[in-house]
Structure formats: structure tokens, C-alpha cells
Amino acid sequence: MVQVCDRCRVKRVKCDGQQPKCGKCERAGVDCTTSAKLRRKTTPRGYVEPTRETIQQLRGELQRAHDQVRDVSAQVEELRATVARQNEELEQLKQLSSNINRVPSSHKGSSQGPVVGHLGRLVLGDSNAEFFAGSTTGVHFILSAQQQYQRRFQCPDHFPEGIFRLHILKVCHGRVQMSPSEPYLHWIEPQFLNLPKIEYEFLSQQDLTSFEAVFDRFQHCWGMLYPVLLSKQFFAALDQLFRGIRTSSDVSFLLQVYALLALDAFSHHRTHSGVLHHTLTQSHYDRMLSDLFGRMPNRGDLTTLQALLLYLLYLQSTSQHSLGLRICGMTVRLAQSLGLHRHSRRFRHILGETELRKRLWWCVYILDVQSSVLFGLPRTVQHADVDVDLPFNADFDDLHCEQLSYPLPGETTRVEPFIHYIQLSQLLSRCLQQMYTTTDRRGAVGKIQHLQREVDVWGQNVQSSQSDIALMVDIGKDSSGETSRYISLWLSLLAQFTSILIHRPALTFSPEEPQFGKSLDVCVESASQIIACFENGRDHHLLPRMWPAGYHLLFQSALMLLYNCWVRGPQEASTSQPSSLNLATSSDSMKPVQTAIELLKPKSTTAHDIASTPGDLNSGLSPEAISELSQASSFLQHLYNQSLWTNSRSIGQPLSLAQSPSLPISHSIFTSSPAQTPRSFDYSSVLDPMSIAAATWTPFSIDEVNQMEPFEFTDSFLVPWGN
């Protein structure tokens, strides 16, 4: 409200109402008096009083305008980046088009760098059924070595079909020796598999001491790499079975128990002197485990997953590949349905159950990666779908514990090797994703260097964290305990195999590429170390039966050394060997090949003799496995003799009578039956390597094979073992 002075009222002008003088009176220099005060509320003309609501509304509109401007600016920047990227792609396409018109057809695409070549083919698996084998199985490398062999020796012969399927070699342990005091004897009763009540009555009559011994042996043999069981949880459930208390997980737990006993029987060759022995064949174990597996409930839980993992380890140790691959897929889906692939913060579990869930998930993850590597198949578990963290480095044996005891500085735990195992499996998975996919095969040089750095960092972390499982070139006999030596041996073998998987795709490049020579050097060194690992682990008969290792890895490691000699020649191959191996001559550089031949060669020709020989790498082989390994060893001996004979001629060194290819090969394939002898490989050429003029067919080059359709790999020219 504005009070008008007397002077402004008389003059009828607008008064601003200032006190003690208004503006007009102040400028006029007169007194400003007010005789009558206003008694009503008024608003000066020309002024608008803003309200709080109007101000708030205007501020909101202003903020929305700012947001719209920011969004439009971001869209403009994105459009500019898209236009720039499209312009770059257009320039690359123009350059590629000009290169295609200018470069010969045999060199097209070289401007984009080397491209990894992959090849998958079908091999004969169980029951002579076709089984797909991807590049990680080594089939592409064997074909490359075959082409180099044909070029080196001017020989049209193909490699035997059996060496392409060594990774799915069916290995049966035959019979295992047991004493009457062990709790396995009643398994052979026919009514046991059909009457569930007898199972509980049988278990209730057994002594807990025998099961404790079996559980301890499992923890020392398999539990360090696959900690799927907790002692308190296991023996509490076993006690319920002994007392006849039935639960919904009875069948699943019974599968755990019998898979554990079967693993113990086939993981330890034990004899009992002075006690009457009873024999039990693998078919009894397979029948009982299959029956329990078929009776498991549809509802899956952690007990079911533990049982499937133990069953899968048994199938892995007995080389039942087809069934093991199906069970592996079931474990992945069951684990995902239980939410094990998600982070623990998404659920409300006590600490013990949370840690068990993490351990079970990473066991599933490891087996999925290893099955993908062994069989050359795509991974089931993708990294984008997993956010679970690693297990804590702490030991515990109770599912319901709410606090963990962590190790002091300098101390190690039983789960620490498992954590290193997980990290190496993650690296293997990244290798499959980056180097062995069908559609992304460019930029391999950078990927190889990055992955190899990760392997080196992993090895340094293992050495710094735990000396007992550190990677060593020569794993001695004086390590702390047999278990630590076995874990160290396995991690070392798997690390060297990882290096080969990283660098072997570079062998598909042109030999003129710099990365070809670098990767070949790494592959040769890793192959020599793998042969050394098998040599140091000849007492562990499970070593060639654990995924993804196998007899195929031993054979391909020796073939890698021969391939290096064929590509580079004897002089260059001997000088390209790593200095750590102390190999000075061509003959010395081939010594690991001789070691591999001896390791592949069974010590006996009958499965019974091998099964009764403890401490042998090839113990417990079936007659079919003996035949396959004998032929692989004889064929490798043939390649070794022929290479050594040719190298001696080229460098002018005398050849000893023992190395002469004109002499019969020890444990020769000539002793095999006609059905076991490859009909397409002319082994008469062993007597004279230079007299290979006649061929049964015209050999295909690796380039021609790469361009074939998948169904062509089942034709008879690639299956020389048939009649």
C-alpha cells in the first residue's frame, strides 16, 4: 500500500510514497506532507505482484528446457560420431576394393592382417557314432602337420584316423581289487538296485570308519580341485541313513555316496596281502550309478548338484565322454536354476551356505570350460551372465557356520589351489572366446600377446602366493607331500596347455608372418614341458584321464616337436629351442619325442597285466585302448625315425643302427591284426622312407579341406580305419 503526499495529490501526479520525502518532493526541494492517510489497500499502477506458484512453474519450465537442450546436444554428438564412423568404414571399403582389384587372388585380405584358420570335423566316438571335434581338440593342427609331412617327405600318405580321436579314447580300468572288509561287496547283489529298502539296511550295517577313510582320500585326491563336499554335512546325512531317517534327498545323497566309493575304487589301485580278494567290474558301478541317477527327484537342490558333480568326476575318470558331456550340461542348467551364477548379495543365506554355493558354481564353471576345450564345443556359460565372486580363501567344514577362520600371512589353505584353478579356467574361457569363435578371427596377434601376458601374470601370482603349488620346470620328488606335488603337476600341465591353445591358432598364418615363428617357439617349449609333466607324473594314472588333458595331448606335444623340425629344418629347429631346455643338437631336441613314445607305449599287451600294475601312467587300460595307444606310439616312432633319418642325411651325420628306419620298429604296428591296421597308410614305407611312389588316393591340401562342407569329413578318405 502506497501513501500519497499532499503535493502529488494536488498536482494529480504519481507518488512513489517514499518516506520522509517522496521522489518528486525531493527533487523539487519542498517539504513532503501527508494530511490524510489512506484507509484501503491498493497496488501501484504499472506493478504486478508475482506469486510463489508462478515462480515455481517458471523454474520447472526452465529446467525442462535445459534438459531438452542437453538431450538434443547429446543426440547431435552421437549422430556426428555415427557419421564419422560410417565415413571411416566407407574409406576402408574403398581401400579394400582397390586392394582386391590390385592384389592377386592368393593374397586377398592380407592388408587386414592374418586371419585365424579353424576347422572342425566329425570323428568316430562311442559306438562308432559321429562326434564333432573342434579346433581345440587339435584336429586342425594334425591336418596341418599332415600337410607339412607330405610336403617335407614328398609323401602322399595320410595320418591314421585313430590319432584324430585320441581325445575321446575310451579308457576302462578293467577290474579293481577289493577286500571283504570294504563296504562295496554287496553292490553285486541283483536285488540291490531294485529294492531301495535294502540300500538303507546295507548302509546301516557298515562302519563309519571305512567311509571316513574314503572321504579323506577323496579330499586329498579330488577335493583340492573340486571342493564339492563338506564333512559335517556329509556325515550328518550319512548318520540319518544309518538310523533309517528318510528325507526328500535320500536318492541324491545315495548317488553321492556310491559315486564317492566308485571314485575311490578307480582312483587308488590298492592291494591287500594275505586277504581273499573279490573283483568288481566297472559295469557294476555304471549300472548302480545309472539306476540311482534315473531315480533322482525332478526337484533339484544343492544335494542333487553335489551328486551330479561327483558322478561327473567318476565319468571323467573312466573316460565315459558322451554321458559325461550330457551330465555336464545338466549340472550347468541346475546350477543356474538355483541362482548360483548370481552374486551372493542378491540372496539371504548364512555364510557357510553362501561359500558352498560359490564353490559349487565354480566347480560347474571349471567343468564346463574343460569340456568345451576337450571336445572342441562352444561354451555353455557366458561371462556376461555371471557376476558371482570368487570363494573366500578360508577352510570350513560346516554348512551352517556363520564365521570363517582366515589364514595368517604366509599360511595357505586347502581352497587356495582351487582359487588358482578357477582363475586359470577363466583365462581358458577368455581364450576360447577370443581365439576359437567362428565369426571373430581377426586381430589375433594382439589377442595372443594379451592372453600370454595374462598367463605370465597368473604364474607369477601362483609362485608368490603358495610355493607348494608354484609352477616349476622340473617338479621334484621332495615337494611337501604327494598331494601338493600332484596339484603342482596338474596346474603346471594345464598352464602349458593354455599357452599352446593361445599360440596354436597362429600356426595357421603364413610362415612369413612374424607371429608364426614367435608362436611356434612358444608351442615347442610348452610341448616339451607337457611331455616333462607326463614323465614326472607317470605314477599318477589319473593324469591323462582328467579333463582337458589326455593321451591326445601327449601325442600332439610330440607331433609339435616334429612339426617344428619339418617346418624349419634340422639346423634351424635345434637352434630355435629355448635355452632352458639345454638342447644343442637335432638329436637332443628330439629326446622329448622319444619320451612321449615310451609313455604312450603300454607296458603289456593285455589289460589284466596293466590293471594289476600300480604306479603306471597306462594302468587299467581296456584292450581297445591298448590297441589305439600301441598304434599311436608305433606311428609316432615311424615319424620320429623318418625325421631323424632325413635330418641325418641333410646335415651329414651318421645314423646309428638303432635309429635306422630300415630296422623293425619296437612294439611295431606290424604285430596288429589286419582289422587294426590302417588300410590307407602304407606302413611298408617304414622300411624305406624314400620308396613311397604309389598312393591309394590323391592327398588334399589344408586349404582344400578348409573349403569343404562339414558333411564331406565323414567320407571314406578320412576314415582309413574302416574295412
Side-chain angles (χ1 to χ4, degrees):
M1 183 175 63
V2 179
Q3 180 66 46
V4 182
C5 66
D6 296 340
R7 184 173 179 271
C8 290
R9 183 181 296 110
V10 171
K11 289 182 173 293
R12 295 183 179 273
V13 295
K14 185 176 181 181
C15 183
D16 56 9
Q18 296 294 330
Q19 296 294 332
K21 287 185 178 183
C22 68
K24 294 185 181 299
C25 293
E26 181 71 23
R27 288 191 294 273
V30 298
D31 294 336
C32 184
T33 59
T34 302
S35 59
K37 293 185 179 181
L38 296 178
R39 295 183 179 180
R40 58 184 177 85
K41 185 177 180 180
T42 181
T43 302
R45 295 187 182 94
Y47 290 90
V48 178
E49 182 180 356
T51 62
R52 183 176 301 176
E53 292 78 6
T54 304
I55 295 175
Q56 189 68 23
Q57 180 181 0
L58 293 176
R59 287 178 178 175
E61 293 178 358
L62 181 61
Q63 183 64 34
R64 287 193 294 270
H66 283 305
D67 294 340
Q68 292 177 0
V69 171
R70 186 169 55 252
D71 294 341
V72 171
S73 300
Q75 293 177 1
V76 170
E77 292 297 330
E78 184 178 356
L79 289 175
R80 288 177 180 174
T82 303
V83 171
R85 186 166 56 251
Q86 290 178 350
N87 290 334
E88 292 178 0
E89 293 177 355
L90 288 175
E91 292 297 330
Q92 293 177 359
L93 291 175
K94 290 179 181 178
Q95 184 180 2
L96 179 60
S97 177
S98 61
N99 292 336
I100 292 176
N101 296 330
R102 183 172 62 254
V103 181
S105 59
S106 59
H107 298 83
K108 289 181 180 179
S110 60
S111 61
Q112 298 297 320
V115 178
V116 174
H118 286 304
L119 173 66
R121 57 161 296 189
L122 295 175
V123 297
L124 295 181
D126 297 341
S127 304
N128 291 328
E130 292 180 339
F131 201 98
F132 179 78
S135 297
T136 55
T137 62
V139 293
H140 191 275
F141 166 69
I142 295 176
L143 287 174
S144 301
Q146 173 183 280
Q147 182 192 29
Q148 193 63 38
Y149 168 81
Q150 294 169 346
R151 183 184 300 115
R152 173 75 174 172
F153 300 104
Q154 300 298 316
C155 172
D157 293 323
H158 285 67
F159 286 0
E161 177 68 14
I163 66 175
F164 289 93
R165 60 171 184 259
L166 281 178
H167 65 287
I168 53 174
L169 180 64
K170 178 66 175 179
V171 178
C172 300
H173 292 256
R175 294 173 178 268
V176 291
Q177 302 294 331
M178 299 181 184
S179 65
S181 60
E182 298 189 52
Y184 321 130
L185 302 178
H186 293 275
W187 284 6
I188 57 177
E189 297 179 0
Q191 69 274 21
F192 174 78
L193 295 178
N194 298 324
L195 299 177
K197 183 178 179 180
I198 297 181
E199 298 175 356
Y200 298 98
E201 292 178 353
F202 164 69
L203 289 174
S204 62
Q205 298 172 0
Q206 306 308 314
D207 186 7
L208 274 176
T209 305
S210 58
F211 286 100
E212 291 175 354
V214 170
F215 188 87
D216 290 340
R217 285 193 292 268
F218 169 80
Q219 291 291 74
H220 285 85
C221 181
W222 292 96
M224 297 284 286
L225 297 176
Y226 301 96
V228 300
L229 293 179
L230 299 178
S231 59
K232 288 188 178 181
Q233 175 196 13
F234 178 82
F235 286 106
L238 189 63
D239 181 66
Q240 287 184 345
L241 286 180
F242 285 168
R243 292 186 297 165
I245 302 176
R246 294 177 177 267
T247 63
S248 59
S249 301
D250 279 351
V251 177
S252 299
F253 181 72
L254 281 174
L255 182 60
Q256 282 188 34
V257 172
Y258 294 130
L260 195 65
L261 296 176
L263 268 175
D264 182 71
F266 282 93
S267 300
H268 303 86
H269 292 283
R270 303 182 306 278
T271 57
H272 305 270
S273 57
V275 181
L276 180 63
H277 287 81
H278 296 263
T279 60
L280 191 64
T281 63
Q282 180 183 343
S283 61
H284 292 107
Y285 291 98
D286 294 340
R287 185 181 52 163
M288 287 181 297
L289 293 175
S290 176
D291 178 79
L292 289 171
F293 173 72
R295 286 162 39 196
M296 282 199 308
N298 296 329
R299 182 187 61 84
D301 52 10
L302 293 182
T303 304
T304 303
L305 183 59
Q306 290 173 310
L308 289 178
L309 287 173
L310 292 176
Y311 188 25
L312 183 56
L313 292 180
Y314 167 75
L315 297 175
Q316 176 179 335
S317 64
T318 54
S319 301
Q320 301 185 52
H321 302 295
S322 297
L323 181 57
L325 193 59
R326 295 196 296 269
I327 300 298
C328 186
M330 292 181 60
T331 59
V332 171
R333 286 309 184 192
L334 177 56
Q336 290 175 336
S337 67
L338 294 174
L340 303 187
H341 63 298
R342 303 310 305 271
H343 199 278
S344 57
R345 63 175 176 266
R346 299 180 179 275
F347 311 102
R348 295 182 179 179
H349 299 297
I350 58 176
L351 186 58
E353 185 174 356
T354 298
E355 283 301 299
L356 178 61
R357 288 169 62 90
K358 289 194 289 187
R359 291 185 180 187
L360 292 178
W361 166 255
W362 287 116
C363 288
V364 171
Y365 176 88
I366 290 173
L367 291 169
D368 176 67
V369 173
Q370 291 179 349
S371 64
S372 300
V373 172
L374 178 63
F375 303 112
L377 301 176
R379 296 167 300 143
T380 305
V381 179
Q382 302 296 326
H383 287 286
D385 302 326
V386 179
D387 62 352
V388 62
D389 53 349
L390 294 178
F392 289 135
N393 187 16
D395 293 328
F396 73 102
D397 57 359
D398 186 6
L399 177 66
H400 303 289
C401 70
E402 298 182 356
Q403 187 176 1
L404 298 179
S405 177
Y406 298 97
L408 296 175
E411 293 182 349
T412 59
T413 63
R414 294 181 56 85
V415 77
E416 188 166 353
F418 177 57
I419 296 176
H420 293 305
Y421 197 22
I422 295 171
Q423 294 170 343
L424 188 57
S425 298
Q426 289 176 323
L427 205 159
L428 265 174
S429 180
R430 289 193 292 273
C431 176
L432 295 180
Q433 180 182 4
Q434 299 179 26
M435 302 298 300
Y436 290 91
T437 53
T438 304
T439 56
D440 185 13
R441 296 185 289 164
R442 296 189 183 275
V445 176
K447 296 176 182 177
I448 289 174
Q449 296 174 355
H450 179 73
L451 290 171
Q452 184 58 47
R453 282 196 298 269
E454 291 191 31
V455 174
D456 297 337
V457 171
W458 176 86
Q460 294 173 359
N461 292 336
V462 173
Q463 288 179 340
S464 61
S465 63
Q466 188 175 6
S467 59
D468 288 342
I469 59 171
L471 300 183
M472 295 174 287
V473 176
D474 184 14
I475 300 173
K477 301 286 186 179
D478 56 349
S479 59
S480 58
E482 189 68 17
T483 301
S484 298
R485 177 178 178 268
Y486 179 71
I487 298 301
S488 177
L489 186 70
W490 174 245
L491 291 179
S492 178
L493 175 65
L494 193 59
Q496 299 297 336
F497 183 41
T498 303
S499 295
I500 286 185
L501 289 179
I502 292 172
H503 288 272
R504 196 164 58 186
L507 302 185
T508 62
F509 300 163
S510 172
E512 288 75 20
E513 292 286 343
Q515 188 61 41
F516 178 88
K518 297 177 183 178
S519 293
L520 183 56
D521 290 338
V522 176
C523 288
V524 168
E525 182 176 4
S526 298
S528 301
Q529 298 297 334
I530 287 175
I531 296 176
C533 287
F534 276 105
E535 171 67 16
N536 292 326
R538 62 167 60 244
D539 295 337
H540 299 281
H541 67 280
L542 285 178
L543 192 62
R545 291 155 193 169
M546 293 179 62
W547 292 355
Y551 293 102
H552 71 291
L553 183 57
L554 182 59
F555 178 87
Q556 292 173 18
S557 298
L559 186 62
M560 180 66 72
L561 301 179
L562 294 173
Y563 175 81
N564 178 55
C565 184
W566 298 339
V567 171
R568 290 172 166 168
Q571 299 258 1
E572 185 180 355
S574 60
T575 57
S576 65
Q577 297 290 338
S579 59
S580 61
L581 298 179
N582 297 323
L583 302 177
T585 64
S586 175
S587 178
D588 293 337
S589 66
M590 304 292 280
K591 285 183 179 179
V593 181
Q594 293 178 305
T595 303
I597 293 173
E598 293 299 322
L599 291 175
L600 285 172
K601 185 188 305 181
K603 299 300 184 294
S604 176
T605 57
T606 61
H608 176 73
D609 295 337
I610 293 181
S612 61
T613 304
D616 184 15
L617 188 68
N618 296 331
S619 61
L621 296 180
S622 64
E624 294 80 7
I626 294 175
S627 176
E628 292 282 348
L629 292 180
S630 299
Q631 294 182 18
S633 176
S634 298
F635 179 69
L636 193 60
Q637 180 75 58
H638 160 67
L639 297 179
Y640 171 77
N641 288 346
Q642 189 168 4
S643 301
L644 201 61
W645 181 75
T646 304
N647 296 344
S648 300
R649 290 188 58 186
S650 61
I651 62 179
Q653 292 182 352
L655 188 65
S656 62
L657 292 177
Q659 297 171 341
S660 174
S662 60
L663 296 178
I665 301 175
S666 60
H667 201 83
S668 175
I669 201 169
F670 299 132
T671 60
S672 303
S673 61
Q676 298 170 346
T677 304
R679 61 178 175 84
S680 61
F681 192 87
D682 186 9
Y683 279 93
S684 63
S685 61
V686 177
L687 300 177
D688 187 4
M690 303 305 294
S691 62
I692 311 176
T696 56
W697 60 74
T698 302
F700 289 85
S701 66
I702 192 93
D703 296 329
E704 293 174 328
V705 174
N706 282 334
Q707 296 174 1
M708 292 180 179
E709 296 296 331
F711 67 87
E712 296 187 57
F713 297 115
T714 62
D715 292 345
S716 59
F717 76 89
L718 281 179
V719 191
W721 291 102
N723 292 326

